[in-house]
Amino acid sequence: MMSNFEVFFDYIQKISGKLLSEDDKDLLMTHFKTRKLRKRQYFLQEGDVCKYIGFIVKGSARTFTVDEKGHEHILKLSVENWWLTDFESFYLLTPSRFNIEALEELEVLQSTNAEIEEFLKNIPAFLAMSNVISQNNTIATQKRMQAINYSAEERYEELVSNYPHFLQRFPQNMIASYLGLSSETLSRIKKNALK
């Protein structure tokens, strides 16, 4: 079985298209710490400054807000090989507006802002990976903004085509919240899709 770091190194090399040297690997292993969270435990709570960025090795999480009426709104669902953080809070050191909660037993490799800056300066593969992730995040954010204008059916179809594994991984009420739909609307759409 691959260790957490082997999985992480493979991910960096695959995304960046560059190899990590042994020195690079040593530097990453020295500064990324393994953290385990129980189901329902928070990686980050609203109002706290996000001190860490985490790479998910095992498990899943959700990023959500709670409105003034106490309703939860899921902004992001995350699985293995995804990153967990509130980038605004992490880089600007401002209190976060989000909660990040483990939905299953969660295992992450986490690091601080100062350490990430060091990796970006000293590890070419890490910098290249960071650039690719940044581009992908920008594209994903634009798609998410475009989806505001989509019908409920179109939002569901977009999810099925981009993240089909979400349907097996997350409960229907969370999928509905992520899509900005009621559970009833999502049930109706799924029923119609089977016809």
Side-chain angles (χ1 to χ4, degrees), residues 56 59-63 76-80 82-84 166 170:
I56 302 178
S60 64
R62 67 181 180 138
T63 302
K76 186 177 174 190
L77 294 166
S78 305
V79 293
E80 289 85 2
W82 286 32
W83 292 88
L84 283 184
F166 277 17
F170 300 107

Side-chain angles (χ1 to χ4, degrees), residues 1-14 25 34 55 57-58 81 107 109:
M1 194 176 119
M2 287 178 85
S3 79
N4 289 351
F5 279 102
E6 286 174 66
V7 170
F8 186 43
F9 298 154
D10 280 359
Y11 168 86
I12 293 171
Q13 293 177 146
K14 184 174 153 219
K25 290 178 182 179
T34 299
F55 176 79
V57 179
K58 182 172 163 270
N81 292 355
E107 212 165 300
L109 294 174

Side-chain angles (χ1 to χ4, degrees), residues 150-157 179 181 185 188-189:
Y150 291 176
S151 69
E153 288 77 11
E154 287 169 329
R155 276 183 260 164
Y156 177 71
E157 285 163 18
L179 293 173
L181 308 172
T185 301
R188 180 178 48 77
I189 292 168

Side-chain angles (χ1 to χ4, degrees), residues 44-46 61-67 71-79 82-89 95-101 103 137 139-145 147-148 155 159 163 166 170 173-181:
L44 174 68
Q45 281 189 281
E46 181 183 354
R62 67 181 180 138
T63 302
F64 69 99
T65 59
V66 181
D67 67 23
H71 298 138
E72 293 181 357
H73 302 278
I74 296 177
L75 306 170
K76 186 177 174 190
L77 294 166
S78 305
V79 293
W82 286 32
W83 292 88
L84 283 184
T85 198
D86 168 354
F87 285 104
E88 183 182 1
S89 176
S96 180
R97 292 177 289 198
F98 307 118
N99 297 289
I100 303 178
E101 178 190 39
L103 294 175
N137 281 343
I139 292 165
T141 301
Q142 278 186 312
K143 283 185 171 178
R144 192 99 163 104
M145 285 163 39
I148 292 168
R155 276 183 260 164
L159 177 84
Y163 309 111
F166 277 17
F170 300 107
N173 64 324
M174 286 190 188
I175 298 280
S177 174
Y178 175 74
L179 293 173
L181 308 172

Side-chain angles (χ1 to χ4, degrees), residues 51-53 90-93 111-118:
K51 294 187 178 85
Y52 301 100
I53 187 167
F90 184 71
Y91 288 116
L92 302 181
L93 305 177
S111 196
T112 65
N113 189 332
E115 290 165 335
I116 295 292
E117 291 301 320
E118 188 181 337

Side-chain angles (χ1 to χ4, degrees), residues 130-147:
S130 182
N131 290 337
V132 171
I133 290 170
S134 194
Q135 288 171 358
N136 291 346
N137 281 343
T138 302
I139 292 165
T141 301
Q142 278 186 312
K143 283 185 171 178
R144 192 99 163 104
M145 285 163 39
Q146 287 168 333

